[in-house]
Amino acid sequence: MRILIVDDEAAVHASYDRCFSPGPQTPETGHRAAEADTIEDIHHCFQGEEAVAEVARALATDRPFAVAFIDIRMPPGIDGRETARRIRQLDPDIHLVIVTGYTDFTPAEISQVAGPADKIFYIAKPFAPAEVSQTAIALCRRWQNDRELAEARAQLAAQVVALEEKSAELRANESRAMHIAMHDALTDAPNRSAFLRGLAERGRMPGRFVTAMLDLDRFKLVNDTLGHLAGDELIREVCATLQHAAPEGALVARLGGDEFGIIFDMADQSIAIAACERIVTACAKTFSMLGHSVRCGASCGLVMSDEAGERDPTDLVRRADMALNDAKRSGRGIVRLFDEQMDEGIRVRRLVEAGLTQAIARDELTLVFQPIVGRGDLSIAGFEALVRWHSPEHGAVSPAIFIPIAEESNLIHQLGDWVLDEALAQVRHWPDQYVSVNFSPVQFRRSHFVGHILDSVRRAGVDPARVQIEITETAIFDDAERAAQTLCELRKLGFRIALDDFGTGYSSLYNIRKFALDCLKIDRSFIDGMGRERESAAIVHSIIHLGRALGLGVVAEGVETEAQAQALRVAGASHLQGFLFSRPVAPCEARELAVRRALPMLPVTSDGTLAVSVLA
């Protein structure tokens, strides 16, 4: 530690030196010498300005003085009061000791300009060596303690700042983590967890509100044809559209995939439905995705909360989802309000699904075969295989009920495999007729669809030319490029391809031009309406003429009257199928009809009309 001596008299400086010099080992000098060992450096100045300059140099070199002993009178330069003031301005931490035999200034006056008071001390001249040395040692130790304390406080303050920064960082991380946990990464909209939490919070509040579920129509087609980047961009655009179109204060959440949930306050049911219809309408527009124009659409299901009824979030979502499923089954761009019959329908569907899972193992399924006859001599060209289910619990279950359930639950693959194997087992016993097997869109989108059918045919030992694959326009419309490739592969292998329910789907002309087909099957609804509606008759004639122009066979389904049969034969339909000729028959009867090649009916008359028809 360093000490500064400021006095204008050389004799006084000599006295200071004696105060800090080691002396003989007497009781007095021994004590002083021991304490003097802690003084590292003593610097002498004879004028105040010189002392001020020395303090400045000491601070610049980071070797500050701990104590300065200052005389009051130092002519001709500045006095001790001014010297103390200037030193204090430079170094707030130095201890100042005023050493004088005069009373030019009071301690208060000096403290006023060179304070604080706890850093100013006084020694009267003449001074005793022990007084100076002990004061110097004590103040040096205090100065050192002050520095260590200041350093400790600075470190503590830095630690406090660091802790506060860490705490702020943790709070920010917690906030980010909470945001991530409750928001969708793609759209930054609330996710399913946030939706359920918001639904629970709203359920505890009074007043009626709406829970709506919405998903996009044909979203898979966008991903499959344009890629997932376009699909992601479409999801973001639709989310922004929903947030803009939803009622004020609504919570719009992305629940996953192309499914969204919406919560908004509404007491009137009709207004709630109208609000959802506006949302669906807002989604029915063309979006530009990565340079492609994408026509979008949506379906929506909603449930109104009762004022005093069930408000469980899971149940509300379940009911809204049931309404959404009903909307999707009814068509595209539709809004459906939940009613209790939907819940009963779900219960029945679950029972049917559970029973269908065991139906194959329990031998509850059977195949029946409906003949397809030629327009000329009515000879049997083939049979359409139709599945039937007789459940011990539910009795005879209509295919219109259990096949859609099988498609939704993915049981359709197991069911379809069974139908194909059974149909192949029967066609082996027919002379040369083909068997026509229906495949659902779910089956058609199955990976390795072509290879799977080919393996089944080879195991059965059946020529692919005797197998007709029936698909609907929906199956090929969802992914046109992949469908075209699949159908082309099947045709190259020798399979027959029939487009079922022709005229009821989308882009029919485009489909039959693009895809490899053998025949068109006219939907039975047009056949049924021929006698009552000019439009139906016009559609039937157009389809027949179109098929003939393209070199395709045309099968008219659902023929039930001789008038229908006669009109279709005259129009040029290549094949007929319906109850007029035969109902679906058991495998053994189908085998007999195939061998006979004809139905049990009288020949056609000379004018080309049917003489008599016998229904099997």
Side-chain angles (χ1 to χ4, degrees):
M1 287 174 284
R2 306 181 71 204
I3 292 177
L4 179 64
I5 307 297
V6 189
D7 200 291
D8 61 332
E9 295 182 13
V12 174
H13 284 282
S15 297
Y16 277 111
D17 287 338
R18 287 192 295 273
C19 292
F20 298 110
S21 297
Q25 293 298 316
T26 62
E28 180 181 355
T29 61
H31 173 71
R32 182 170 65 247
E35 292 181 337
D37 290 340
T38 61
I39 304 300
E40 299 173 357
D41 187 9
I42 301 173
H43 196 84
H44 296 271
C45 292
F46 289 86
Q47 287 294 317
E49 291 179 349
E50 179 189 358
V52 173
E54 190 61 37
V55 169
R57 279 193 296 273
L59 292 172
T61 57
D62 197 25
R63 298 181 66 235
F65 292 103
V67 184
F69 289 85
I70 304 173
D71 187 21
I72 285 294
R73 292 183 178 181
M74 294 179 291
I78 59 176
D79 58 24
R81 178 176 175 272
E82 179 63 16
T83 300
R85 185 186 72 80
R86 294 187 185 182
I87 290 176
R88 177 62 70 204
Q89 283 184 335
L90 293 173
D91 189 352
D93 297 326
I94 192 171
H95 292 288
L96 303 179
V97 181
I98 307 301
V99 183
T100 182
Y102 304 96
T103 57
D104 296 14
F105 303 103
T106 65
E109 290 176 322
I110 297 176
S111 296
Q112 186 176 4
V113 298
D118 64 341
K119 290 186 179 293
I120 298 180
F121 303 89
Y122 301 89
I123 293 178
K125 287 183 179 180
F127 49 74
E131 182 181 11
V132 170
S133 63
Q134 291 176 5
T135 298
I137 293 300
L139 293 180
C140 283
R141 289 177 176 172
R142 179 179 172 183
W143 179 84
Q144 183 65 32
N145 290 339
D146 287 346
R147 284 174 65 89
E148 292 174 355
L149 179 60
E151 183 178 354
R153 285 175 175 170
Q155 292 177 353
L156 181 60
Q159 291 175 353
V160 170
V161 171
L163 287 173
E164 289 177 347
E165 292 176 349
K166 189 67 175 178
S167 178
E169 182 181 353
L170 289 174
R171 287 194 299 270
N173 289 339
E174 182 181 5
S175 178
R176 284 194 295 270
M178 182 62 69
H179 184 87
I180 292 172
M182 302 301 288
H183 286 76
D184 172 53
L186 180 61
T187 63
D188 202 40
N191 60 13
R192 181 177 291 272
S193 297
F195 183 76
L196 292 174
R197 175 181 290 185
L199 201 54
E201 292 174 354
R202 182 60 188 86
R204 291 191 289 268
M205 300 166 58
R208 301 186 73 190
F209 62 93
V210 173
T211 304
M213 304 287 283
L214 179 144
D215 73 3
L216 304 184
D217 298 327
R218 307 190 197 96
F219 175 70
K220 184 178 182 298
L221 180 63
V222 177
N223 273 341
D224 291 345
T225 57
L226 301 182
H228 289 281
L229 290 179
D232 290 347
E233 183 62 24
L234 179 59
I235 289 295
R236 282 190 288 265
E237 291 287 342
V238 168
C239 184
T241 299
L242 293 177
Q243 292 169 336
H244 179 75
E248 184 178 358
L251 172 65
V252 177
R254 184 191 179 210
L255 307 183
D258 63 334
E259 187 177 30
F260 295 86
I262 307 172
I263 307 170
F264 60 91
D265 292 343
M266 190 63 66
D268 186 272
Q269 179 174 295
S270 60
I271 298 178
I273 295 174
C276 290
E277 288 175 341
R278 285 194 296 271
I279 293 173
V280 168
T281 301
C283 293
K285 63 180 182 179
T286 300
F287 294 89
S288 179
M289 301 290 111
L290 304 179
H292 300 274
S293 294
V294 177
R295 181 68 181 176
C296 188
S299 301
C300 180
L302 71 146
V303 58
M304 297 285 299
S305 67
D306 295 330
E307 188 66 46
E310 179 60 55
R311 291 190 169 206
D312 177 68
T314 303
D315 188 66
L316 289 173
V317 170
R318 181 180 66 85
R319 295 182 176 207
D321 200 46
M322 282 190 285
L324 171 61
N325 289 334
D326 187 71
K328 292 193 301 186
R329 285 192 296 270
S330 301
R332 296 178 173 90
I334 294 177
V335 175
R336 283 287 185 266
L337 176 69
F338 171 81
D339 62 47
E340 296 299 330
Q341 290 183 351
M342 293 180 185
D343 208 1
E344 176 63 20
I346 290 295
R347 188 187 69 82
V348 172
R349 291 172 67 84
R350 288 174 179 168
L351 291 175
V352 171
E353 181 181 336
L356 186 58
T357 304
Q358 304 296 326
I360 297 176
R362 294 175 180 175
D363 200 26
E364 298 172 6
L365 298 176
T366 57
L367 275 191
V368 292
F369 299 86
Q370 187 171 36
I372 301 171
V373 300
R375 65 181 293 270
D377 58 2
L378 302 181
S379 62
I380 299 175
F383 294 84
E384 180 178 1
L386 302 169
V387 64
R388 297 291 185 262
W389 177 26
H390 190 279
S391 167
E393 294 86 2
H394 311 295
V397 184
S398 169
I401 294 177
F402 71 80
I403 289 181
I405 294 175
E407 289 180 331
E408 293 179 10
S409 62
N410 275 331
L411 288 171
I412 191 66
H413 297 302
Q414 184 180 2
L415 176 61
D417 291 346
W418 181 88
V419 169
L420 179 60
D421 290 341
E422 289 294 312
L424 293 174
Q426 293 301 318
V427 76
R428 293 174 58 189
H429 301 290
W430 304 341
D432 52 12
Q433 293 88 353
Y434 66 84
V435 64
S436 190
V437 181
N438 292 277
F439 290 88
S440 77
V442 177
Q443 290 175 276
F444 190 70
R445 290 192 292 266
R446 186 180 189 178
S447 60
H448 308 299
F449 175 73
V450 175
H452 180 75
I453 293 180
L454 185 60
D455 288 343
S456 298
V457 170
R458 285 174 174 172
R459 284 197 307 269
V462 175
D463 184 354
R466 299 185 63 194
V467 179
Q468 178 168 279
I469 297 172
E470 285 195 29
I471 56 172
T472 63
E473 291 183 56
T474 302
I476 58 179
F477 183 80
D478 285 346
D479 188 347
E481 295 300 325
R482 178 183 178 277
Q485 180 180 357
T486 301
L487 295 180
C488 183
E489 292 178 11
L490 290 170
R491 280 289 300 279
K492 287 180 180 179
L493 293 171
F495 291 97
R496 301 168 55 92
I497 308 295
L499 188 58
D500 196 15
D501 299 337
F502 185 77
T504 62
Y506 297 88
S507 304
S508 299
L509 292 177
Y510 175 79
N511 286 342
I512 62 175
R513 180 183 63 84
K514 183 179 179 65
F515 301 118
L517 301 173
D518 289 283
C519 73
L520 308 177
K521 299 193 75 173
I522 305 176
D523 185 72
R524 66 183 64 247
S525 62
F526 298 125
I527 306 300
D528 183 59
M530 284 180 60
R532 302 187 307 271
E533 305 165 351
R534 288 191 306 170
E535 293 82 2
S536 293
I539 290 173
V540 170
H541 281 76
S542 297
I543 294 174
I544 293 174
H545 293 160
L546 179 64
R548 294 181 64 182
L550 294 174
L552 302 177
V554 179
V555 179
E557 295 183 292
V559 181
E560 297 186 355
T561 68
E562 292 187 17
Q564 291 172 345
Q566 188 64 26
L568 289 165
R569 296 175 73 209
V570 171
S574 62
H575 294 82
L576 307 174
Q577 178 183 352
F579 285 178
L580 174 65
F581 309 103
S582 175
R583 293 180 180 274
V585 297
C588 58
E589 296 178 68
R591 188 180 306 180
E592 294 177 1
L593 291 175
V595 172
R596 290 167 50 185
R597 301 179 183 276
L599 295 169
M601 60 175 58
L602 293 178
V604 180
T605 62
S606 60
D607 62 357
T609 61
L610 296 176
V612 178
S613 65
V614 181
L615 302 184

